[in-house]
Structure formats: structure tokens, C-alpha cells
Amino acid sequence: MLGRKGFAVLAVILIVALLAGCTQQPASKEQSKPAEQPKADKIKIGVVAPLTGDVATFGQSTKNAIELARDQLNAKGGLLGKQVELVFEDDKNDPNETAAAVKKLISQDKVVAIVGSVASKCTLAGAPIAQENKIPMITPTSTNEKVTPIGEYISRACFIDPFQGKVMAKFAGENLKAKAAAMLYDVSNDYSKGLAENFKAAFEAAGGKVVESQTYGKGDQDFHAQLTKIKPTKPDVIFLPDYYNTVGLIAKQVREVGIKSVLLGGDGWDSEDLVKIGGDAVEGGYFSNHYSVEQKNPEAVDFIKAYKDKYGKEPDALAALGYDAVTMLFDAIRRAGKTDGPAVKDAINATKNFKAVSGSITLDANRNPIKSAVVVTIAKGKQKFVTQVNP
Ligand code: PHE
């Protein structure tokens, strides 16, 4: 039962709530509280990416694009009548950090799904935790084939490395008429090692030969010993399946020791910093990628324009795929009509002909999209589209 005092308190609360709801004037902190949307009225999505560290451009592009997608969605009324809130976690391209970030997003932030991470070795560490907790996780960019077999809650917006390795092997053999290839890669990085193996298998199946294979470890900066072994084998091409920061360093040393071979790589080359680090040494190199800024599908045209307007520069593939992964998730939540893990997971896994920036996405039985790749070259310090390769 409410006494007089109780009624008075209730009346005050009511009036304050009404005022806060009706007036345009900024209310004081105390008064504004009742008008704020309660937490449950937002859909929380976690994002894990390397926002700092050795491949920070990957994380920054991913974050930019995902924030753009959120703004566009929320401006149109959000999802299931609610606004979407993003919680970003920086994994610094370190698998231990990814695992901790995924745990935190699930247990503390109570996100309904996660987009991330970028590097395969990181996603491989975070995904088992999402799977165990029945929280759907879509990686925009992790191409290593072992990622999605972790479980049915894990999917991706990108093609996988057995395809990417084939793309570059075919390009080397058919377009560059290469017969002898050398490889230099990071054995401690699942992506680098996996892509090297895939390239070798495809190149040799097509009649070429990998004449020398050299490796290094995490954080190595001096590759002269390995390059001294590669030089006398006179390869037509050298395959460097690593991220832009290391590739830039290797490329410089390749030219320093007088090797003239054409340099080839994969999606990990994609960064505005590749040319800043590698300079002239990466000129004339070729790499496979998920998208090109010269692409003309309407989704890409709209995205490129919106991204440029907001950030003043062209989006790279990390941005395109970050956007694709999060919009694919929005689409799945919309179709699921609710946000509980199993329902969203089922909707994600049923993704079909989703019109994405990087091309149409249909997930196969292993939760991998079947998509085409592009090959780009570095010409006068800029990326230039060379060809598209279909699966
Ligand atoms: N494919 C890389 C990996 O799996 C990540 C990456 C994707 C980097 C796209 C650059 C561009 O580790």
C-alpha cells in the first residue's frame, strides 16, 4: 500500500518522466535518466579486430566500415525496431587477446553475435569460445580453411585459402608463364603457412615446380639468410603469403640482394601501408584480393561513395568485407526475427544470394561463401585491377 508520501514520490517521478519525454530542452543528468533507452532496447554486437599493433590498418578499415554500416542501419530505424550498438575490442593481432576479447564480449557485454577477427590465427583462437557459448561469429576476412570447421556458429564473408592459393598459382602459370616458383613464409602464422601450402599444391598440379621453400618466424625482420638460398635457384616468381608489414620488409631485401623475380602474394598485402614500407620493391608485384575499388556492382559503388564521404579515402578489401560481414549479420537477424544465438545462427547459415559489396554471398554447407577473387598489381605505387577469377 502506498502512503501519502508514496503518492507524492510517484507523482514527482511521473512529472519528471513526462517532462523529460516531452521537452526539447536538455534535461539535467538526474532528470534525463528515465528518458534514456534501457539497455535491452538495443541490439549489441561485438567486433574484434586488430585496431592497434603490427597490422593496425586491417583493424582500422574494418572498424570504419562497420561503423558506417551501423550508422546507415540506425538512421533507417535499426533492426527489429531497435538500435544497434557496437562493442569494439582490440586484439592487436594476438590470438591470446582474441580469446580474451571474445570471452569478455560474451560474458560481460552480453553481445548477441560477434564480427571478427581479421587474421586467421586470431579467429582460430576466438571461435571455439563463441561456438561453445552458442554465439554466432562471422569473420569478415579469415581465409584459413580450418576456421569454419570449428562449428556451426562460425561462418565467414570471404573465400578460403585453397581457392586463393589456386588463383595465384593459375595466374602465375597462365598469365605470367612462370615455371619455377620460390616461397618464403611465416611458419608461425596459420594464414601464411596454409596459403603457401595451397599455392604449392596448385602450382605443381598445373605442371610448375616450387624450386625453393624458405620460412621464418613471428616478428622476424632479417630475411637475408633465406634469400641467399633462394637467389641461386633463379625462380620466375616468389610467393610471399604474409601481411603487408612483413611483405614490405621482405620485398626490399629481395631487391637488395639482387633478385629480379616477380613478387606474388595474397590478400594480406592489402594495405595503404604496403607501398609506404616496401617502396619501389613492391612495384610490379601481384596479389589476389576479395574486391577492387574499381568494381562496378551497385553495392560496391554505393559503399565506396559513402565510405569516401565519411572517411576521405577509398575503402580497401578489409573495409569491404567488414561491411559485408556485419550487413550479412543484420540481414540474418532480420530474417530470424529475434536475437537468440541458435535462431541467428540458423539464419546466417541460410544466407543465400546476399548482395554484398564484394559480390553475392551464398554460404555452402561448410559456412563458406563461394566467391570470385580479383588479382591486382602495384603500378606507380597504386593498386590496379588486373583480372577477376571465378571459382
Ligand atoms: N586472409 C587473412 C587471414 O586470414 C586476413 C586478411 C584478409 C588480410 C584480407 C588482408 C585482407 O589471415
Side-chain angles (χ1 to χ4, degrees), residues 58 118-120 141-143 191 243 267-268 290 318:
F58 289 171
V118 168
S120 292
T141 49
S142 294
T143 46
Y191 159 74
Y243 306 133
D267 53 355
H290 304 264
L318 283 299

Side-chain angles (χ1 to χ4, degrees), residues 55 58 93 117-123 139-145 147 156 158-159 161 164 189-192 195 242-244 266-271 287-290 316-319 321:
V55 293
F58 289 171
N93 195 30
S117 185
V118 168
S120 292
K121 64 177 180 188
C122 290
T123 305
T139 168
T141 49
S142 294
T143 46
N144 186 276
E145 59 182 314
V147 169
R156 60 182 130 208
C158 53
F159 54 62
D161 286 336
Q164 181 165 214
N189 178 337
D190 300 279
Y191 159 74
S192 188
L195 189 50
D242 205 344
Y243 306 133
Y244 65 91
D267 53 355
W269 282 35
D270 189 17
S271 171
F287 66 98
S288 47
N289 209 354
H290 304 264
D316 56 17
L318 283 299
L321 287 174

